[in-house]
Amino acid sequence: MNDRRKNALILLLVLGLFAASLAVIFAKPTRLGLDLKGGVELVYQGKPTAQSKVDSESLNRAIDIMRKRVDQLGVSEPEIQLSGAKEIVVALPDVSDAARAEEEVGKTAQMFFYDWETNVIGADGQPAPTEATATGGENAGASQFGLVEYQAVLRAAKRPAIIRKSDTTLEPGCTPAQVGECIYGTWYLLDTKHEKVLRGPEETEKNLYADGYKPPADATVKAVRVNPGTVLVQARPVESAAGKVTQASPNSWYVLNDEPVLTGTDVTNPTQSFEEGGGGSGEPDVTFGFTSHGQKVFQQVTKEIAHRGQEAQLPGVNKEEAQQHFAVVLDGQLVTTPSIDYTKFPEGIDASTGSEITGGFTITSAQNLADELQSGALPIKLELISNSQVSATLGKTALKQGLIAGLAGFVVVCLFLLLFYRILGVIAVGGLIIYGVYFFALIKLIPITLTLPGIAGLILTIGIAADANIVIFERVKEEIRGGRSVMAGIATGYKRGFAAIVDANVVTFMTAFILFALATAEVKGFAFTLGIGTLLTLFTAVLATQAALGVMGRSSLVTHPAALGAARRGKGWTFDFMGHSKWFFALSGTILLVGALAIGGKGLNFGIDFKSGTRIQTAFIKSVSESQVASAMKSAGYGNAEVQQFVNKSIGGTGFQISTKTLGPESVKKVHAALDTKFGNGPNEPGTKDFSSTSIGPTFGKTVANSAVIAIIASLLVISAYIALRFEWKYAVPVLIALMHDLLITAGVYSLTGREVTTATVAALLTILGYSLYDTIIVFDRVRENVPRMPRAAFSQIVNRSMSEVLTRSLATSFCTLLPVLALLFFGGETLKDFAFALMVGIASGAYSSIFIASPVLTHWKERETTYRNRRARILREVGTVPAYATAVAGEPVDVEPTQKRKRTRRGSLIAPEEPGEQLSREEFHELVRDIDSDGEPAASSGRGAAAAGVAQRAPAKKPEPDVEEAPAEPQRDPAADLTPEDLVLKDEPKQRDKRRRPRNRRHGRSR
């Protein structure tokens, strides 16, 4: 199959995939993230319980249970996924009540059933079934009979450990030393001076001080442990006379023997119902059945309770006082404590027909409890460490801004390619269109949830895809300018440019992979789109465009070099990059010094992603001032809240940002209600609009910071290893120096400008690591290519030559990538603008460091090697100075030793036989040894020695040998062009007449 037919088949494949992608785009919906459509995001951290450790099994089980609960909420297209080692991220689109979502989704729902009176602990530390002051009597579990939490902890802490199989606070095999942070009881942090419980319950004493907690300065702190076998349970919610809950979480506690008779796993078919039948109130309740084991235990326990009631029926004691109780505890709080009527159920309650839970339920709360029991208890404890809420209006505005930024970035990149590369630009634009359609189809097909960071990744990959074309097109132009035909130039350009593209894209993909593995859920969308786009670039920017050029190769459109922008130019870049390296180092040192002083003096403005807190952004229906908003927050109990006014198109103009300590969803809901009431026009017209909030706990902030550091270090290590393998280890060190240079400059700029550092900034920094390498690899790849081409030159001359060849493409790729980034900066929303700013600074710094930092560092290091030190010494000895570029006698730049008079041989190469597999004769081998100038010995004072040094003097006249002929004059060629394979060797003597070559003896390599 010839090349033309092969290219046609490739184009048919590309067009077929293009048509299939269009079908996918129109057939499948786009899944939008919360930041584009509004909703609630909750981030939980798993913590162990006595029954289960935090491992992949327990986390996956928790996710399954949470998914059932979300389904019961009726949320469409929810996303529940692991993030990191212990975090679970729950995204609930189109949900506006974060408090209810948090209450339902992350509730542990661990239910235990107790025989009440026999397990309540009295003042002496023993069960006190007959003490009404301890049990509550006929009002068992009521708040007025419980202890305040501080007193309850002291009572519980006096009890010794009681080890039972049913303990809920003891991990099997754990001892009081809690080796490996196993669970042995529960810990509380007390302020004995003010008789308060500061923190607890926690699994270990260390956890009492987690998240950097510091007790009040005037507190007398004491950590106490409640041993296994004893638990604290909160009193029942306080109800009004009408049966409505007036206080859901009273400061009233009971101390219990930790000996439940049944758990939630023994419950079946929980259903919200109503109290009906004789004496029924018609109030909502929860009915349920029992497993076979649960039925037996329930009947036996209620039988024992009924018998105790009969025994307590003494003269003068009424029936209500004598009745004993059965307690239901859900997540550490009493839900209900029903009495067992011993006259109606003397032998216990037959559980075959099930049972019910009553007491102060609304229809919603009863349904919620039924749903929680139905989905099952979470195997581990889940702590809410972050929550955010985005209004639907803000989401739509953000989507619109992201699409505008993406379209603008695509248009400016296409214009640049068309203006700079003409016909090649047309082909590149076609490749970008194909790339965009393929990418969007993949987003819908996988499917990928599209978020704002994901849109940023998509826009950035437009520039990366264009960069791949630029690298190849510049190489094609270079080959054509060097004298190759258009078709040969295209073939050679793709062949030689492909290695640089693969190296650069592999590094970018590895960075994206590390970012995806270690970053927060918000940034994962960016990392995923960046990684997929990078892989897709290799197909569209290389295979598709090469096939298109191959098919068009004989067309008049591409046969003229000018149509490809490959018309001959002047001498090109002749700047002495290595000779001026000290000025570049000085400039970078000054910039880094200023940045370091700024970081040391002002520091970095870390956002709540790192330092925790709650941020509320909202607009109001009428004009208000910062002081009025601050006053409203003070009235709501948040006097330390910081209020800032800002202008944002997303909220239609002026809005306010309110920053406070970390608030839970319920507290955010109260703030929202307070602002609505304060600035509204009555109950039917709330005062706020476009209300959104983000709350980050200290745990989450610490996790984000650790992940960021690990991701950066991991990226540096992986990049170093790859560069060392693909080049050599000495090439990796300048790369690391250049990368640290870019990171420090970006950090310094952030410090000087006071911009906030967020998770998006971390994503941008990691992207900078990958992209900064793009230009560096292009330069190093050309250096590696030129080293064997310039066997007599100093390393600085090799690097200068390489820099002059690739500087245009380095600047073009950087500029092309900056174009979509600038589109993000000008047209994107606030999140995209912050991200784009970091990218803009990093890309500009990366382009500078790859040229003026990495290459000079490599040069200074490599020239310490013996080979290059001897070359440099020889040049200095013979010429007195080392020119920036290797020069011949006439002063023109050259890459290798100029063509000289040479003995006639049957070979044309100094370094290899004419054809692979041939052997050298003894005479030819000795001639080869003589031709190679030993770098370890002083050069001869002949013209040949000087020429070999990279700078040639005019050789003294020498009588030519009889069998040596003058080489024909070579046509002038572009000094910046790559060498052809023929340039690497000495030319064969021109033949006097055309005659057929006699067959060779393949075995000995001679004619016969």
Side-chain angles (χ1 to χ4, degrees):
M1 182 185 295
N2 58 35
D3 290 341
R4 191 176 182 85
R5 180 172 296 180
K6 181 177 68 175
N7 291 330
L9 288 177
I10 292 174
L11 282 184
L12 284 177
L13 174 64
V14 170
L15 292 176
L17 292 175
F18 186 81
S21 299
L22 288 176
V24 169
I25 290 173
F26 288 109
K28 288 187 171 290
T30 304
R31 180 180 292 183
L32 299 179
L34 298 183
D35 49 2
L36 298 178
K37 65 185 299 185
V40 171
E41 182 181 78
L42 307 170
V43 181
Y44 293 93
Q45 185 179 59
K47 291 195 170 184
T49 63
Q51 292 76 32
S52 182
K53 296 181 179 180
V54 180
D55 53 23
S56 59
E57 182 180 353
S58 62
L59 287 169
N60 288 326
R61 171 63 181 154
I63 288 175
D64 291 338
I65 293 172
M66 296 169 83
R67 187 166 284 114
K68 291 179 182 178
R69 296 180 181 180
V70 170
D71 290 341
Q72 290 162 353
L73 286 175
V75 179
S76 62
E77 296 185 351
E79 286 194 11
I80 305 175
Q81 58 186 354
L82 285 175
S83 176
K86 297 182 179 181
E87 286 80 36
I88 297 176
V89 180
V90 183
L92 306 175
D94 299 323
V95 172
S96 58
D97 192 343
R100 180 169 182 261
E102 185 270 335
E103 180 182 354
E104 297 309 312
V105 175
K107 198 170 186 178
T108 307
Q110 290 183 331
M111 179 174 282
F112 299 100
F113 297 83
Y114 290 89
D115 181 345
W116 180 249
E117 276 78 10
T118 60
N119 286 296
V120 177
I121 305 301
D124 61 352
Q126 299 297 322
T130 60
E131 293 183 17
T133 54
T135 64
E138 57 184 295
N139 290 317
S143 60
Q144 61 265 35
F145 295 99
L147 302 171
V148 296
E149 188 177 16
Y150 179 81
Q151 296 297 333
V153 171
L154 292 181
R155 178 178 293 187
K158 293 177 182 177
R159 287 174 52 80
I162 304 173
I163 309 302
R164 307 183 185 92
K165 290 183 179 180
S166 58
D167 280 330
T168 63
T169 61
L170 175 65
E171 187 175 332
C174 192
T175 64
Q178 293 188 269
V179 177
E181 297 189 355
C182 61
I183 297 176
Y184 188 90
T186 52
W187 286 87
Y188 293 84
L189 189 64
L190 306 181
D191 178 1
T192 57
K193 180 178 180 180
H194 301 95
E195 297 190 352
K196 290 181 179 180
V197 177
L198 299 177
R199 297 196 86 179
E202 294 289 349
E203 291 78 16
T204 65
E205 183 178 5
K206 174 182 162 184
N207 288 352
L208 295 173
Y209 300 94
D211 304 330
Y213 175 76
K214 294 182 180 179
D218 60 343
T220 302
V221 178
K222 180 182 180 182
V224 298
R225 172 163 55 192
V226 175
N227 286 312
T230 305
V231 294
L232 272 69
V233 296
Q234 196 172 16
R236 288 188 282 111
V238 179
E239 300 176 11
S240 66
K244 302 301 180 184
V245 175
T246 58
Q247 188 177 358
S249 183
N251 185 17
S252 178
W253 300 79
Y254 290 87
V255 182
L256 294 186
N257 261 330
D258 189 15
E259 193 173 9
V261 293
L262 290 172
T263 67
T265 58
D266 298 309
V267 171
T268 62
N269 302 321
T271 308
Q272 183 270 315
S273 185
F274 297 91
E275 292 186 64
E276 297 174 348
S281 63
E283 294 296 321
D285 66 359
V286 177
T287 61
F288 55 89
F290 286 106
T291 62
S292 58
H293 170 263
Q295 290 179 17
K296 295 176 183 178
V297 173
F298 186 76
Q299 184 166 358
Q300 178 62 34
V301 172
T302 54
K303 178 181 177 180
E304 294 174 1
I305 293 174
H307 288 176
R308 282 206 318 272
Q310 289 176 337
E311 294 171 359
Q313 180 70 69
L314 299 173
V317 178
N318 60 39
K319 177 181 176 182
E320 286 72 19
E321 292 177 348
Q323 284 179 344
Q324 306 290 289
H325 298 81
F326 190 76
V328 180
V329 176
L330 179 67
D331 288 344
Q333 183 175 18
L334 285 166
V335 177
T336 183
T337 51
S339 60
I340 305 300
D341 190 340
Y342 56 84
T343 61
K344 188 175 180 181
F345 305 106
E347 296 303 314
I349 299 174
D350 182 6
S352 61
T353 58
S355 186
E356 63 182 10
I357 301 175
T358 62
F361 286 117
T362 64
I363 293 177
T364 301
S365 61
Q367 183 63 58
N368 290 344
L369 176 57
D371 291 342
E372 290 162 3
L373 295 177
Q374 180 69 44
S375 61
L378 293 172
I380 54 177
K381 180 182 177 183
L382 293 179
E383 179 185 352
L384 183 69
I385 58 176
S386 170
N387 71 86
S388 59
Q389 178 179 343
V390 179
S391 72
T393 304
L394 286 178
K396 291 178 181 177
T397 305
L399 177 59
K400 181 180 178 182
Q401 292 172 336
L403 293 177
I404 292 174
L407 183 61
F410 182 81
V411 169
V412 294
V413 169
C414 290
L415 289 175
F416 172 77
L417 292 175
L418 291 173
L419 291 174
F420 205 71
Y421 292 102
R422 304 174 191 178
I423 298 299
L424 291 177
V426 173
I427 295 174
V429 170
L432 283 182
I433 293 173
I434 294 172
Y435 166 80
V437 172
Y438 283 0
F439 201 171
F440 196 37
L442 282 176
I443 287 174
K444 290 195 170 192
L445 192 62
I446 291 178
I448 302 171
T449 300
L450 200 58
T451 62
L452 275 177
I455 289 178
L458 176 59
I459 295 172
L460 183 62
T461 56
I462 293 174
I464 293 176
D467 286 352
N469 283 316
I470 290 173
V471 171
I472 290 177
F473 291 169
E474 283 294 328
R475 191 62 189 251
V476 168
K477 290 164 63 175
E478 194 174 318
E479 297 294 332
I480 295 172
R481 289 187 182 122
R484 295 185 185 273
S485 67
V486 171
M487 288 303 298
I490 291 173
T492 308
Y494 271 92
K495 181 179 178 181
R496 293 183 175 178
F498 184 71
I501 291 175
V502 169
D503 286 337
N505 284 338
V506 164
V507 170
T508 303
F509 180 79
M510 290 191 300
T511 304
F513 178 80
I514 292 171
L515 187 58
F516 182 81
L518 298 176
T520 60
E522 179 185 2
V523 179
K524 282 184 184 293
F526 167 78
F528 195 80
T529 54
L530 181 62
I532 294 295
T534 302
L535 292 178
L536 196 57
T537 294
L538 294 176
F539 178 77
T540 59
V542 178
L543 190 63
T545 57
Q546 184 179 16
L549 275 173
V551 171
M552 298 173 58
R554 302 186 187 281
S555 169
S556 59
L557 291 175
V558 296
T559 52
H560 196 282
L564 305 179
R568 290 190 175 273
R569 59 182 183 182
K571 293 184 177 181
W573 300 95
T574 59
F575 184 75
D576 186 4
F577 299 97
M578 301 305 103
H580 293 82
S581 60
K582 60 182 179 181
W583 298 107
F584 304 140
F585 291 157
L587 176 61
S588 293
T590 303
I591 295 174
L592 291 175
L593 178 61
V594 173
L597 292 175
I599 294 173
K602 296 177 60 177
L604 291 171
N605 179 23
F606 287 104
I608 62 172
D609 293 338
F610 295 96
K611 63 183 183 182
S612 77
T614 294
R615 175 173 297 163
I616 296 171
Q617 290 186 339
T618 184
F620 296 97
I621 61 173
K622 54 187 178 183
S623 179
V624 298
S625 64
E626 288 186 8
S627 59
Q628 288 176 309
V629 177
S631 176
M633 291 296 297
K634 185 175 182 180
S635 301
Y638 303 101
N640 294 327
E642 297 180 5
V643 180
Q644 291 179 313
Q645 187 173 353
F646 65 92
V647 177
N648 191 337
K649 294 179 181 179
S650 299
I651 58 175
T654 302
F656 291 85
Q657 178 174 286
I658 305 169
S659 302
T660 70
K661 62 181 183 180
T662 304
L663 305 179
E666 193 64 39
S667 299
V668 173
K669 188 175 181 180
K670 291 179 180 178
V671 170
H672 193 181
L675 295 175
D676 279 340
T677 303
K678 177 72 173 178
F679 303 109
N681 296 323
N684 296 326
E685 192 176 356
T688 62
K689 62 178 182 178
D690 297 329
F691 184 93
S692 64
S693 67
T694 301
S695 295
I696 304 294
T699 302
F700 187 72
K702 185 178 180 181
T703 302
V704 170
N706 290 340
S707 297
V709 173
I710 293 173
I712 291 174
I713 293 175
S715 297
L716 292 175
L717 291 177
V718 169
I719 289 169
S720 301
Y722 183 80
I723 296 298
L725 289 173
R726 284 291 284 133
F727 296 89
E728 61 175 276
W729 70 269
K730 285 188 177 181
Y731 283 71
V733 175
V735 166
L736 287 179
I737 293 174
L739 292 179
M740 295 305 300
H741 168 274
D742 299 338
L743 292 179
L744 290 175
I745 284 183
T746 304
V749 171
Y750 261 77
S751 178
L752 287 171
T753 58
R755 279 185 170 266
E756 189 175 73
V757 178
T758 64
T759 52
T761 309
V762 175
L765 289 177
L766 289 175
T767 307
I768 290 167
L769 289 182
Y771 189 79
S772 177
L773 275 174
Y774 205 105
D775 284 338
T776 307
I777 285 177
I778 290 174
V779 175
F780 284 5
D781 189 72
R782 183 54 65 90
V783 171
R784 178 177 58 182
E785 184 179 330
N786 281 338
V787 165
R789 287 179 167 183
M790 305 174 68
R792 311 299 196 273
F795 197 80
S796 62
Q797 294 175 325
I798 297 174
V799 174
N800 270 335
R801 175 59 192 240
S802 303
M803 290 296 304
S804 69
E805 291 172 342
V806 301
L807 182 59
T808 299
R809 74 189 62 175
S810 294
L811 295 177
T813 53
S814 299
F815 181 72
C816 193
T817 307
L818 276 176
L819 290 176
V821 171
L822 290 174
L824 279 176
L825 189 64
F826 290 128
F827 300 106
E830 292 301 316
T831 302
L832 294 179
K833 286 183 178 180
D834 288 339
F835 181 80
F837 180 80
L839 279 180
M840 181 184 68
V841 175
I843 290 173
S845 175
Y848 171 82
S849 66
S850 64
I851 299 171
F852 302 116
I853 301 298
S855 299
V857 169
L858 177 66
T859 299
H860 287 295
W861 196 349
K862 291 286 287 183
E863 289 204 331
R864 295 174 182 269
E865 294 180 2
T866 303
T867 298
Y868 294 109
R869 188 169 62 245
N870 289 338
R871 289 188 191 180
R872 193 173 188 85
R874 184 185 59 220
I875 298 172
L876 288 172
R877 183 168 53 251
E878 295 175 351
V879 182
T881 184
V882 179
Y885 294 85
T887 57
V889 176
E892 294 184 1
V894 296
D895 289 325
V896 294
E897 183 179 0
T899 302
Q900 300 179 11
K901 297 179 180 179
R902 182 72 54 179
K903 292 181 179 180
R904 185 189 306 274
T905 67
R906 59 110 200 141
R907 294 184 300 112
S909 172
L910 286 177
I911 58 176
E914 186 176 283
E915 296 185 20
E918 291 187 357
Q919 299 180 0
L920 297 175
S921 67
R922 179 183 299 275
E923 292 78 7
E924 289 170 337
F925 175 75
H926 285 300
E927 181 187 1
L928 176 61
V929 173
R930 288 193 301 271
D931 287 337
I932 297 177
D933 184 15
S934 174
D935 289 320
E937 300 176 0
S941 57
S942 65
R944 185 183 65 81
V951 173
Q953 299 178 3
R954 186 172 300 278
K958 184 178 179 181
K959 184 177 179 180
E961 298 181 15
D963 59 343
V964 175
E965 299 181 8
E966 287 291 331
E970 295 287 337
Q972 289 190 353
R973 60 187 300 275
D974 184 2
D978 286 334
L979 295 176
T980 64
E982 291 78 16
D983 290 328
L984 293 175
V985 301
L986 290 176
K987 306 292 188 301
D988 279 337
E989 184 182 41
K991 298 178 180 179
Q992 299 298 325
R993 60 183 179 273
D994 185 14
K995 62 181 179 179
R996 295 180 60 85
R997 178 181 296 178
R998 289 184 297 174
R1000 295 178 180 274
N1001 183 328
R1002 293 291 181 179
R1003 181 175 181 182
H1004 300 288
R1006 298 182 182 84
S1007 300
R1008 58 178 181 176

